[in-house]
Amino acid sequence: MPTRLPPSPTLDPVDRALVWLRRDLRADDHAALHRALRQARQVWCVFILDTTILTGLPQADRRVEFIWHALHELDRRLRALGGGLIVRQGDPREEIPRLAKALHVQAVHVARDHEPAAIARDAKVRGALADAGISFLSWKDQTIFETDEVLTAAGTPFSVFTPYRNAWLKKLAEGGGFYLKAYPVERHARHLAPVPTDFDLGIPTLEALGFAPTDMAARLHPGASGGEHLLLDFLERIDRYDSSRDFPAIKGPSYLSVHLRFGTVSIRQLARLAHERVTAGSRGAEVWLSELIWRDFYFQILHHHPRVVGHCFKPEYDAIRWEHGKAADALFEAWCAGQTGYPIVDAAMRQLAQTGYMHNRLRMIAASFLTKHLGLDWRRGEAWFALHLNDFDLAANNGGWQWAASTGCDAQPYFRIFNPMTQSRKFDAEGRFIRRYVPELAGLDDDAIHAPWQARPMERLAAGVELGRTYPQPVVDHDEARARTLARFEAVKKVAARR
């Protein structure tokens, strides 16, 4: 029996509405803006430069600059459609109710945000608006399926990816294209209202916000136009994605993750294009669509299990005794700096430090190394990635770290411990990626570069590599680290078994 599709919402018409933009910085295929334009005679759009977030960020932050560029482009696009973007700086819990009252709107529309802090923030805003008689309407826009839309036959959330993916694909097929349809904006743009003069204050400069310019523009393609450029480029390569995605030295990924993070591309557009290619027989598109499904999977895990923010998905693993103290801190600093003595790990960490990006295969290698070679708490690595990744997303970052640490849902078994030398030789066989980010090893041959301590002394000398001086000795021994990790997890499992 086919799935019953959700009914199209019927909204009582209103005179004025406000769309509060957050992680949805585009003016096309936009669920909240589409709904507002269908409901109201006049619609304004606002973005709040949230000081509760900005004050905790580094002064040079590519993500802030990415948002800044996206806001300028979005404002130009909205003005071309007859509206514009109101930009405020402050705490949205205060700014949104204040602006809604000043504009005399009857409704505020948003795209739903599933992070716990965002849910708490929205609850405060909803309450303040309700006190003023203003409705707060939230719409799915971040995912294809959210919260309770894909459940097991017993009506419970999935905790294993493969059956979730199968159920996801089944629901998509039964919807007959409904779930991937776009939410048009331009055809309803006559309801966009120009920004009132008193509210048309422009977008503050980065310096006024307390931030310094970065190399963001040279490394990323910001705004919706940048997302479209990257998408068109990737569509020429998507059929090879399955065979190219794991090799960091080549152009395999889509590089769209930061655009998904800030909503400068539509997840529906990406899934629709991928699904069309899958239907035509593309194995590359099938694998990439699975990556998009992983994203939905981690969002629903965060929704149903908010305790994963700060705790292991598997509660018994909260008892793991991670390394701590000065020696552990020194190991963490070596990992952060790309000075562990393991070239593929160091190249990954240096890529992150220099660009704000890390290839997905390298994220798994680096995370596994921190937790299973250095024996350090996954939360330390999770926080480091959160600080430095351009595309940081709480659900995916938390899910990825807990997968690597074997503490999460559908995680790799704790006894599966990546051998960094094997991973390096398999996915960077010629050492091209390592040479790019660890140039002090460039003189070594394609075999020795993966484990320079195993090279003959004369070979290292000829390459200008002196362990302990030009490049560090390995901070841990692989076999010894593996033994410690197995003991660490087995101790916890023994305790759990006695309960």
Side-chain angles (χ1 to χ4, degrees):
M1 180 178 179
T3 299
R4 178 177 297 176
L5 298 177
S8 298
T10 301
L11 299 175
D12 293 331
V14 298
D15 185 52
R16 298 180 172 197
L18 179 66
V19 178
W20 173 19
L21 300 164
R22 294 99 69 90
R23 295 178 46 150
D24 45 352
L25 303 181
R26 65 186 187 281
D28 299 293
D29 188 6
H30 195 294
L33 181 53
H34 170 87
R35 275 2 186 305
L37 292 171
R38 295 286 303 274
Q39 181 193 31
R41 187 177 63 83
Q42 290 182 292
V43 175
W44 291 278
C45 298
V46 63
F47 183 85
I48 306 297
L49 292 157
D50 190 340
T51 52
T52 68
I53 297 174
L54 295 177
T55 52
L57 298 177
Q59 187 181 29
D61 193 305
R62 295 183 186 92
R63 296 166 295 191
V64 174
E65 192 170 0
F66 184 94
I67 292 171
W68 186 81
H69 277 274
L71 292 178
H72 279 278
E73 182 175 308
L74 179 58
D75 182 44
R76 291 192 297 270
R77 172 64 175 154
L78 289 171
R79 288 179 190 272
L81 292 172
L85 183 63
I86 300 171
V87 177
R88 291 289 188 92
Q89 184 176 355
D91 185 336
R93 294 171 295 187
E94 301 169 357
E95 293 295 333
I96 290 299
R98 183 182 297 132
L99 180 62
K101 294 173 188 176
L103 290 171
H104 304 289
V105 304
Q106 291 84 45
V108 172
H109 293 255
V110 301
R112 270 194 288 278
D113 192 329
H114 302 287
E115 296 186 1
I119 292 171
R121 174 201 63 201
D122 288 356
K124 289 283 188 182
V125 172
R126 184 190 298 272
L129 291 173
D131 290 343
I134 301 170
S135 60
F136 182 87
L137 303 169
S138 67
W139 306 100
K140 178 179 65 172
D141 195 70
Q142 244 179 45
T143 60
I144 302 301
F145 297 120
E146 62 178 5
T147 58
D148 295 330
E149 286 190 287
V150 178
L151 298 171
T152 68
T156 58
F158 283 96
S159 60
V160 178
F161 175 70
T162 299
Y164 173 84
R165 181 190 62 200
N166 294 339
W168 192 102
L169 290 168
K170 180 181 178 184
K171 188 176 183 74
L172 184 73
E174 292 175 341
F178 172 84
Y179 296 106
L180 301 183
K181 71 180 182 68
Y183 289 91
V185 170
E186 190 166 353
R187 74 174 66 160
H188 305 292
R190 66 186 179 278
H191 296 297
L192 281 171
V195 178
T197 303
D198 291 348
F199 299 94
D200 198 1
L201 305 177
I203 301 170
T205 64
L206 284 172
E207 291 76 11
L209 292 171
F211 291 89
T214 70
D215 61 354
M216 185 281 302
R219 297 190 179 279
L220 302 173
H221 297 267
S225 63
E228 187 68 16
H229 169 82
L230 290 174
L231 176 58
L232 291 173
D233 176 76
F234 179 59
L235 288 176
E236 296 181 359
R237 301 180 284 108
I238 191 172
D239 294 335
R240 303 188 299 275
Y241 179 75
D242 57 316
S243 59
S244 64
R245 66 184 182 127
D246 278 320
F247 301 91
I250 65 176
K251 192 176 180 180
S254 70
Y255 304 107
L256 284 165
S257 55
V258 67
H259 288 277
L260 275 171
R261 168 63 180 86
F262 295 110
T264 43
V265 294
S266 160
I267 182 61
R268 289 176 294 276
Q269 180 189 21
L270 300 189
R272 184 170 62 250
L273 291 170
H275 190 258
E276 288 171 358
R277 292 289 186 96
V278 172
T279 303
S282 171
R283 172 60 181 159
E286 181 182 358
V287 174
W288 192 61
L289 181 60
S290 284
E291 295 300 314
L292 298 181
I293 300 173
W294 267 108
R295 184 173 174 272
D296 275 13
F297 177 70
Y298 281 140
F299 270 124
Q300 63 93 28
I301 289 292
L302 181 62
H303 170 78
H304 290 289
H305 307 278
R307 71 179 303 276
V308 298
V309 181
H311 295 278
C312 298
F313 177 84
K314 300 174 182 176
E316 64 269 24
Y317 284 155
D318 280 332
I320 291 175
R321 299 185 63 178
W322 302 104
E323 300 293 334
H324 62 281
K326 291 183 178 180
D329 291 343
L331 290 173
F332 182 67
E333 290 174 6
W335 179 81
C336 293
Q339 294 287 339
T340 68
Y342 284 83
I344 193 66
V345 176
D346 293 342
M349 296 306 296
R350 295 183 196 186
Q351 181 186 41
L352 176 61
Q354 293 174 29
T355 71
Y357 171 79
M358 187 187 290
H359 188 279
N360 190 57
R361 168 58 57 174
L362 300 179
R363 296 187 197 201
M364 293 188 284
I365 294 172
S368 177
F369 188 85
L370 181 83
T371 56
K372 295 185 176 178
H373 278 75
L374 304 184
L376 300 180
D377 194 327
W378 59 269
R379 283 160 282 225
R380 299 184 73 167
E382 180 194 26
W384 186 258
F385 275 24
L387 184 63
H388 291 280
L389 281 173
N390 298 328
D391 63 3
F392 164 66
D393 196 306
L394 175 60
N397 192 49
N398 179 275
W401 271 96
Q402 295 222 44
W403 180 89
S406 299
T407 62
C409 63
D410 201 12
Q412 63 173 346
Y414 72 88
F415 49 81
R416 184 186 177 197
I417 300 170
F418 280 172
N419 181 321
M421 294 84 75
T422 302
Q423 292 283 308
S424 185
R425 290 188 170 102
K426 183 176 182 180
F427 297 113
D428 191 31
E430 298 175 358
R432 289 167 54 196
F433 183 81
I434 293 173
R435 288 187 174 90
R436 187 183 310 165
Y437 288 101
V438 192
E440 61 266 39
L441 300 180
L444 292 171
D445 67 32
D446 291 354
D447 182 62
I449 198 169
H450 302 288
W453 65 93
Q454 295 177 351
R456 296 188 305 273
M458 291 302 294
E459 187 178 357
R460 290 199 298 266
L461 181 64
V465 176
E466 184 178 341
L467 296 180
R469 191 176 71 84
T470 64
Y471 186 70
Q473 294 274 4
V475 293
V476 291
D477 175 81
H478 170 68
D479 292 333
E480 293 175 1
R482 175 181 172 80
R484 285 193 296 270
T485 290
L486 293 176
R488 178 175 290 113
F489 277 84
E490 286 165 2
V492 172
K493 293 186 75 67
K494 287 179 182 177
V495 172
R498 290 198 296 265
R499 290 177 181 169

